[in-house]
Amino acid sequence: MIGYILTGHGHFSTGLKSAVDMIAGPQDAFEIVPFEEEHAGEYGDTLRAAVEGMRAQSEGVLVFCDLMGGTPFNQSMMITGAVDNVSVVAGTNLPMLIDLVMARSDSSTLDELVEEAVAVGKEGVCHMTLEGGASDDEDDDDEM
């Protein structure tokens, strides 16, 4: 099985993990490593230990980060140079994580899961409108 590590600035990882657990239930081989200001000096070592620990018990590790170019992403990318079969996906969102915890199986490969994460992450962002609603101006006229 491919292991998952979720990381990001502040409470990003704790909040998303809480939502994943609520929707999909607790997940095996899924850990969070928050990047918090008060522990910033230890973050790189903490993340590396989590990835190495997950890699020791899984066939590979997929690290989900909040945004490209930030400390969690940069530290994750450095780890990929030292630990084999680790990939990083930036721009993580809830639809992506829900899909990936449901799609992961014992036969899933890291490359397949990365491809799925990128596709679903893009699909999870959309704009919707409702047709036929009254404008605010029309509501004001009705009150007079």
Side-chain angles (χ1 to χ4, degrees), residues 1-6 17 20-21 25-32 50-51 53-64 97 100-101 104-106 113:
M1 177 179 280
I2 302 298
Y4 292 164
I5 303 276
L6 173 60
K17 178 71 164 74
V20 168
D21 289 349
Q27 301 297 310
D28 292 332
F30 188 125
E31 294 182 26
I32 61 168
V51 171
M54 183 70 70
R55 181 62 187 96
Q57 66 182 4
S58 64
E59 297 171 26
V61 178
L62 180 48
V63 181
F64 296 94
L97 285 176
L100 270 284
V101 299
R104 180 176 59 166
S105 70
D106 289 337
L113 293 171

Side-chain angles (χ1 to χ4, degrees), residues 4-92:
Y4 292 164
I5 303 276
L6 173 60
T7 188
H9 294 80
H11 299 289
F12 177 82
S13 59
T14 54
L16 275 182
K17 178 71 164 74
S18 174
V20 168
D21 289 349
M22 183 178 187
I23 295 167
Q27 301 297 310
D28 292 332
F30 188 125
E31 294 182 26
I32 61 168
V33 181
F35 175 50
E36 298 172 329
E37 196 171 345
E38 57 271 13
H39 303 291
E42 305 157 12
Y43 174 74
D45 292 336
T46 303
L47 180 61
R48 180 178 294 273
V51 171
E52 289 174 346
M54 183 70 70
R55 181 62 187 96
Q57 66 182 4
S58 64
E59 297 171 26
V61 178
L62 180 48
V63 181
F64 296 94
C65 298
D66 53 358
L67 69 137
M68 186 170 64
T71 298
F73 174 81
N74 294 338
Q75 289 292 318
S76 297
M77 290 303 297
M78 286 191 290
I79 293 167
T80 65
V83 181
D84 72 314
N85 216 22
V86 176
S87 288
V88 179
V89 172
T92 302

